[in-house]
Amino acid sequence: MSGVEVITFGCRLNTYESEVMRAEAEKAGLNNAILVNTCAVTGEAVRQARQAIRRARRDNPHARIIVTGCAAQTEKQTFAEMAEVDAVLGNEEKLKSASYRALPDFGVSAEEKLRVNDIMSVRATAPQMIRHIDGHVRAFIQVQNGCDHRCTFCIIPYGRGNSRSVPMGAVVDQARNLVESGYREIVLTGVDATSYGADLPGTPTLGLLAKTLLKQIPEIRRLRLSSIDSIEADQHLMDLIADEPRFMPHLHLSLQHGDDMILKRMKRRHSRADAIGFIEDVRRLRPETSFGADMIVGFPTETEEMFANAVGLAEEAGIAHLHVFPYSPRPGTPAARMPQLDRSLIKERAARLREAGQRLHQAHLDKMVGTRQWLLVENGGLAHTENFTLVAAPGLRPRDLVQVAITGHNGKHLDMQLLAADAA
């Protein structure tokens, strides 16, 4: 192979950072290299990264393989000891061209492979300017990194460090840069995006940042947020939901569970009632809003009744896009030291919650049939509605905005008939 290939796992923030990594590596003159940007959120994510590294080495025996990302930050020795790996970079180092210029030669020891600093010592997140995100028709912008909260199941703060925000002016500049490159939809992303601004002068909020972007860059046609913590939603965000048609009616919530005792043991800051109340408030302001949510199944001490409360929350809230994570203990977290459930029970409960999620998704698709929707056309003959429902859009050009009539669905995506196009 030649050039730089990037293999990305995990969140939208990783997707954004992978483009920065590619640009910085190429700036440093790196060639014949594979960068693996890992995720640490579950043990399965780490296993998949290791598997991908071994496959990459088999397919590219002479390439240089550099591993980075959250799993490399939290389990650096694990990756350094892999014979297939030539270097391990931390989450801070991966974004700097100097890191790629200073890579060790082939055949060095595990310790010499390591370029991973103390992420907790990082106090700022430097703005990164990119004009293209490979393979995506919507553009992601990093507005925040790290997390100040310490949920008992989560290893991510130890991979990302404490919360730090990108100054508002830099976010505006990056958004303008991407819009000028032809992107019509912007997604604001971060590790704990709704904590945005707490460390900046004047303590601006995520909602105020979104308002500012839409005011200063009228060319933004659609603005989304990545996963948010509803307990941190501010009044500016609620104003956008109510009054701004360019703010898309879909929110992905970090719910994690639906039982108050489990939420307390997770060290979450919201209750079941808080979650339901927020969803009701949003739907009152904008009824067409759809919701996604992350839910963990099989957290230590979870009883059948507690699990039923999680299923009940998803059903009561009408979560259309449910992401189910079977709990896996992450070494170094408090939850890993709690009494664990049997893995077969966790797997069985995860299957039941996914079945509930599938029923909720079917109900959501049924409600969409007969409506008119604006779509952003993506690669591969697919598109998403404003409330982030997948639509089959064969024959249409990526990045176009089109209005369609929803004629049916196949259980996975909606079918449509084209009404009008806005290809400007």
Side-chain angles (χ1 to χ4, degrees):
M1 62 171 290
S2 62
V4 176
E5 177 187 346
V6 184
I7 301 172
T8 305
F9 293 89
C11 62
R12 289 170 172 172
L13 180 55
N14 257 13
T15 299
Y16 174 85
E17 289 179 335
S18 286
E19 292 305 316
V20 178
M21 289 163 47
R22 188 196 308 274
E24 294 300 309
E26 290 174 347
K27 187 190 302 182
L30 197 65
N31 191 36
N32 190 28
I34 300 170
L35 312 182
V36 183
N37 197 7
T38 64
C39 172
V41 71
T42 64
E44 175 62 16
V46 177
R47 187 194 68 79
Q48 289 178 3
R50 288 169 58 84
Q51 187 178 53
I53 292 164
R54 295 189 184 99
R55 186 184 308 116
R57 174 56 72 214
R58 287 196 302 270
D59 295 344
N60 304 277
H62 303 297
R64 179 169 286 190
I65 296 180
I66 300 126
V67 180
T68 184
C70 289
Q73 185 76 43
T74 60
E75 301 182 33
K76 58 186 179 182
Q77 207 64 42
T78 297
F79 291 98
E81 291 172 357
M82 292 182 69
E84 297 87 352
V85 174
D86 296 299
V88 181
L89 299 182
N91 260 333
E92 183 71 3
E93 289 78 13
K94 72 182 183 182
L95 304 176
K96 300 175 180 178
S97 60
S99 301
Y100 299 101
R101 284 194 293 268
L103 286 173
D105 293 329
F106 290 93
V108 297
S109 70
E111 289 304 319
E112 291 172 304
K113 292 179 183 180
L114 290 172
R115 299 289 189 275
V116 181
N117 77 348
D118 176 10
I119 197 68
M120 293 302 178
S121 69
V122 180
R123 297 292 179 232
T125 291
Q128 306 287 344
M129 297 298 287
I130 58 175
R131 296 191 67 85
H132 175 71
I133 298 178
D134 190 42
H136 291 267
V137 300
R138 62 175 57 83
F140 308 127
I141 299 180
Q142 177 190 20
V143 302
Q144 180 273 342
N145 204 341
C147 186
D148 289 339
H149 312 301
R150 295 295 181 265
C151 297
T152 58
F153 56 83
C154 188
I155 196 68
I156 297 305
Y158 307 99
R160 288 286 182 175
N162 292 314
S163 181
R164 50 209 189 273
S165 308
V166 178
M168 190 179 294
V171 178
V172 173
D173 289 344
Q174 173 67 95
R176 185 174 285 114
N177 199 33
L178 288 163
V179 168
E180 288 173 355
S181 296
Y183 287 96
R184 312 179 85 181
E185 180 171 309
I186 301 292
V187 183
L188 304 184
T189 186
V191 175
D192 181 27
T194 31
S195 70
Y196 176 84
D199 57 325
L200 296 178
T203 59
T205 62
L206 182 65
L208 180 60
L209 172 63
K211 270 187 180 179
T212 302
L213 283 170
L214 290 170
K215 181 178 180 180
Q216 295 195 14
I217 312 175
E219 296 83 3
I220 295 175
R221 300 297 299 272
R222 293 159 58 129
L223 182 68
R224 292 190 191 276
L225 304 179
S226 63
S227 180
I228 68 168
D229 199 338
S230 61
I231 202 69
E232 294 178 317
D234 65 288
Q235 188 56 50
H236 291 294
L237 180 56
M238 303 308 286
D239 292 343
L240 285 171
I241 291 167
D243 302 325
E244 176 51 77
R246 291 183 294 156
F247 185 81
M248 295 293 95
H250 170 75
L251 294 172
H252 190 85
L253 307 180
S254 179
L255 292 183
Q256 308 306 347
H257 213 274
D259 181 83
D260 281 335
M261 180 56 71
I262 292 294
L263 289 168
K264 184 176 181 179
R265 289 171 179 164
M266 287 178 164
K267 211 173 179 181
R268 300 294 294 164
R269 290 166 301 130
H270 69 270
S271 66
R272 177 192 181 89
D274 291 331
I276 293 291
F278 175 77
I279 291 168
E280 289 176 346
D281 288 345
V282 170
R283 285 210 173 104
R284 185 165 54 251
L285 295 172
R286 200 162 180 190
E288 70 269 29
T289 302
S290 73
F291 290 91
D294 295 332
M295 297 280 276
I296 294 173
V297 174
F299 186 81
T301 76
E302 181 190 74
T303 64
E304 183 64 26
E305 181 181 359
M306 291 169 174
F307 170 71
N309 285 336
V311 177
L313 173 63
E315 293 173 340
E316 185 176 349
I319 304 296
H321 312 280
L322 193 61
H323 293 188
V324 178
F325 294 87
Y327 172 79
S328 61
R330 308 302 292 126
T333 60
R337 299 190 296 271
M338 297 178 184
Q340 305 292 306
L341 271 62
D342 184 81
R343 296 307 302 173
S344 62
L345 178 60
I346 294 174
K347 183 177 179 180
E348 185 265 338
R349 286 181 180 171
R352 286 160 58 193
L353 183 54
R354 289 190 180 110
E355 287 173 4
Q358 183 61 27
R359 291 194 299 272
L360 291 167
H361 187 61
Q362 296 300 301
H364 171 71
L365 293 177
D366 289 343
K367 289 180 182 178
M368 297 288 289
V369 175
T371 65
R372 293 189 174 194
Q373 302 288 331
W374 280 96
L375 312 180
L376 176 66
V377 183
E378 301 172 25
N379 300 312
L382 297 172
H384 277 94
T385 65
E386 292 183 341
N387 68 7
F388 208 64
T389 307
L390 190 65
V391 183
L396 299 181
R397 189 172 62 182
R399 290 198 187 182
D400 279 359
L401 285 171
V402 298
Q403 189 183 42
V404 303
I406 303 301
T407 57
H409 70 81
N410 69 353
K412 295 182 179 179
H413 58 69
L414 297 169
D415 299 315
M416 62 83 188
Q417 179 181 358
L418 182 65
L419 299 177
D422 177 6

